[in-house]
Structure formats: structure tokens, C-alpha cells
Amino acid sequence: DSGVTQTPKHLITATGQRVTLRCSPRSGDLSVYWYQQSLDQGLQFLIQYYNGEERAKGNILERFSAQQFPDLHSELNLSSLELGDSALYFCASSVQPQGKRWYEQFFGPGTRLTVL
Amino acid sequence: GQQVMQIPQYQHVQEGEDFTTYCNSSTTLSNIQWYKQRPGGHPVFLIQLVKSGEVKKQKRLTFQFGEAKKNSSLHITATQTTDVGTYFCAGLGYSGGGADGLTFGKGTHLIIQP
């Protein structure tokens, strides 16, 4: 158990719909990262938040958005869903002390999204 | 953009044989991390390499970072069934400004035959 929690575990929805995935980081971790894992694309970095602010952006579609709340939990919003959005979505968290750019990330169990 | 290639995609070995996976980046990396993902599980951090030519060992696992900081390898000696999983490298590139995300390789799936 990494200490990172994600809900829901599974999500089945239809094309065109909107869903929200939730992540609670490890206690004390200020950084939250979102990843998409699909069979053909591997593990793709989507976005990072640090203490409520966007820190880094990867291959995140405009239909997707995220935010980190004052209690440090984060939500990933996926809208206008397409079949190709079906994937495993991981959240990860890390400590981010000053002076260093990257730390080991602790991954949550993931949310499996199926778009029908 | 930065690309991280990882080979082989799949590796079948007999239990007790050695295993190596290689990671190559299209650009110079500031550091590289390795993760392991068991079937049905989530990625778990193994190690981070930062210095040019760095070599680190964890029991039967040996990690190397190339002199040019564009490639890395993970070598497992005498594989065991507990080593089964997918091994990912993840690189952090240099940026002129602002933060970068990690770029993951597509992973090497290690399959062990008893």
C-alpha cells in the first residue's frame, strides 16, 4: 500500500460523457501527478500540481482538466469522452523539498475507465 | 519532444537466468528513474540515477546511467519468479525554463518460466 488512494476503482461510461477521478496523496506530499496508461501508448504523464498550483503539463488533452484543492486532494476531469480515452488512470504523489526537481513518486492503485 | 525508447518490449527467461532492459533517450536527461509494475498493480519506484556514469546496486539489480546521460540499463542477476512484471524507465529532461514531466519508456515485460 503506497498511501495514495484513488476513487473510483472502476468506471464505465458512454461516449460524450464527463467523469471525475479523485486522488488523495500520501500524508505530507504536496505534489500530485496524473498519468494515463493504455496498452499502445504506455504510461503517459498528463499533469502535475504542487500545493494547489499547476507545476508541469504533459500530454494532456484540452478535454481533460485537473485541479488540486486546499486539502491537497486532486481531481482529474475528463469530458466529451471518446472510446480512445479508455485506459488506466494513475495518480501519484511525492514530497517536493526545495532545491530538487524530482523525487520518487508513489502511485495509487489506479482508476480503470471504460468508455463504451 | 523528448522520447524515451526501451528495449526489449518482452523478455522471456528461464528462472535463474539474467535479464537486462535498456533505455535510450533522444535528448540528454537530468536524471532517470526506474519503476516496476507487477501484473494488475501500480508502478513502484525502484531507484533514481542522477550522475553521469552512475552505477547503483540493489541486491540482484544493477542500474547504470550512461556517460552522456542519454541511456540507462537495468540488469537482474539470477532472476526469480518474484521479478515478474514490467520495468519502466522514466527520464527527466533538461529544460530552458519551467518544470518538465517525466517521460516514461513503454516498459519491458519480464516473463519468467520456472
Side-chain angles (χ1 to χ4, degrees), chain A residues 70-88:
Chain A
D71 67 352
L72 300 177
H73 91 271
S74 179
E75 292 181 356
L76 179 67
N77 300 295
L78 315 176
S79 62
S80 303
L81 285 167
E82 302 174 359
L83 295 177
D85 297 327
S86 294
L88 196 50

Side-chain angles (χ1 to χ4, degrees), chain A residues 8-79:
Chain A
K9 199 168 183 177
H10 300 277
L11 199 49
I12 300 174
T13 188
T15 54
Q17 294 298 305
R18 172 190 170 93
V19 297
T20 297
L21 313 184
R22 183 188 167 103
C23 167
S24 292
R26 290 189 323 155
S27 176
D29 284 357
L30 299 180
S31 272
V32 169
Y33 312 80
W34 286 98
Y35 292 89
Q36 181 193 59
Q37 186 173 42
S38 58
L39 283 174
D40 56 341
Q41 291 295 321
L43 201 58
Q44 298 273 320
F45 167 69
L46 296 178
I47 198 164
Q48 178 202 358
Y49 276 82
Y50 174 72
N51 203 19
E53 298 202 357
E54 184 183 303
R55 173 65 70 90
K57 214 165 187 176
N59 300 317
I60 188 166
L61 299 173
E62 286 198 11
R63 301 183 285 110
F64 295 1
S65 65
Q67 53 184 330
Q68 186 179 27
F69 295 87
D71 67 352
L72 300 177
H73 91 271
S74 179
E75 292 181 356
L76 179 67
N77 300 295
L78 315 176
S79 62

Side-chain angles (χ1 to χ4, degrees), chain B residues 10 25 39 47 51 54 56 64 71 75:
Chain B
Y10 293 91
S25 170
I47 208 159
K51 298 177 185 175
E54 190 170 12
K56 285 189 175 179
Q64 293 190 342
N71 59 73
H75 179 82

Side-chain angles (χ1 to χ4, degrees), chain B residues 44-57:
Chain B
V44 175
F45 175 84
L46 294 176
I47 208 159
Q48 176 169 267
L49 304 172
V50 178
K51 298 177 185 175
S52 168
E54 190 170 12
V55 178
K56 285 189 175 179
K57 292 191 176 185

Side-chain angles (χ1 to χ4, degrees), chain B residues 62-88:
Chain B
T62 302
F63 303 84
Q64 293 190 342
F65 201 8
E67 294 289 340
K69 300 185 75 173
K70 293 181 77 172
N71 59 73
S72 181
S73 65
L74 158 60
H75 179 82
I76 302 178
T77 305
T79 54
Q80 300 174 359
T81 54
T82 53
D83 296 326
V84 164
T86 303
Y87 292 84
F88 293 95

